Amino acid sequence: MSLVNLSHLCSHLQNASKARLGLTSLPHSNMHLSLLHSLQRSGFLSTVTLGGPTPPPPSLLLSHPRDPEGSAITQTNRATRRLWVGLKYWNNEPVLSRMGMVSKPTRRIWMGVEQLRDIAKGVRSGYVDGLRGVGECLFVSTDRGIMEVRECVERGVGGMVLCRVL
């Protein structure tokens, strides 16, 4: 898992929302797709669509990613595959205002269920501050995929803390 690429994704989405872009593209990877699905389930993104180097037509901007051309990802077209992300705005303000990494390539932070429970309650645990703001989310990479911290506590799984979204 490359946390460097994930930090590029975080800064790209934060900059795109501050620039008031409606649609932006990111390189395709399974980790990016999983995190973008989690962001969409949490209500920060409107659409996630798998596409090529050019933006997909508006009719194909569905809520679930799919390949508009119907072709599989191969070695020859892998570099051109992009994830097209629709950003959300409410009262002319971006829903995703800040997004930053918690774990870094030089310091990965692993937490169990009890530590994640403290964070979900708003209490600091280790290096990670608790969730205090309205709509604040913390995403964790588990053996069951990337989940929000409250979902991890519900299911009783721990993992590596990835990023915080406000």
Side-chain angles (χ1 to χ4, degrees):
M1 172 185 330
S2 174
L3 291 180
V4 174
N5 290 337
L6 194 61
S7 66
H8 290 309
L9 177 132
C10 291
S11 63
H12 182 88
L13 287 177
Q14 181 177 331
N15 291 339
S17 67
K18 286 184 179 181
R20 307 274 194 240
L21 297 180
L23 189 67
T24 187
S25 73
L26 295 159
H28 177 269
S29 75
N30 289 332
M31 184 175 59
H32 288 176
L33 184 62
S34 180
L35 180 62
L36 291 173
H37 268 302
S38 297
L39 285 168
Q40 187 179 13
R41 275 195 310 269
S42 297
F44 291 102
L45 303 176
S46 61
T47 61
V48 177
T49 305
L50 180 63
T54 59
S59 61
L60 292 178
L61 292 176
L62 302 172
S63 60
H64 297 288
R66 68 180 187 94
D67 193 357
E69 291 88 25
S71 62
I73 297 174
T74 62
Q75 290 290 61
T76 56
N77 69 358
R78 179 176 298 218
T80 63
R81 306 309 292 168
R82 306 290 290 177
L83 290 167
W84 290 90
V85 178
L87 300 172
K88 270 186 172 178
Y89 297 93
W90 179 257
N91 291 337
N92 207 18
E93 290 295 319
V95 174
L96 190 149
S97 60
R98 262 189 14 219
M99 184 172 184
M101 294 294 295
V102 176
S103 287
K104 301 198 171 21
T106 57
R107 185 185 71 199
R108 295 178 184 226
I109 299 174
W110 296 85
M111 293 195 163
V113 182
E114 292 303 318
Q115 294 169 316
L116 292 175
R117 184 172 286 121
D118 289 343
I119 290 171
K121 289 178 184 176
V123 179
R124 182 181 175 94
S125 178
Y127 291 109
V128 184
D129 290 331
L131 299 179
R132 301 216 173 175
V134 176
E136 187 175 3
C137 290
L138 191 71
F139 291 95
V140 180
S141 175
T142 67
D143 57 347
R144 298 181 189 173
I146 296 177
M147 295 185 236
E148 208 271 327
V149 71
R150 294 172 191 93
E151 189 178 353
C152 289
V153 170
E154 230 175 67
R155 294 185 182 190
V157 295
M160 183 171 59
V161 181
L162 293 177
C163 60
R164 179 184 300 268
V165 182
L166 297 171

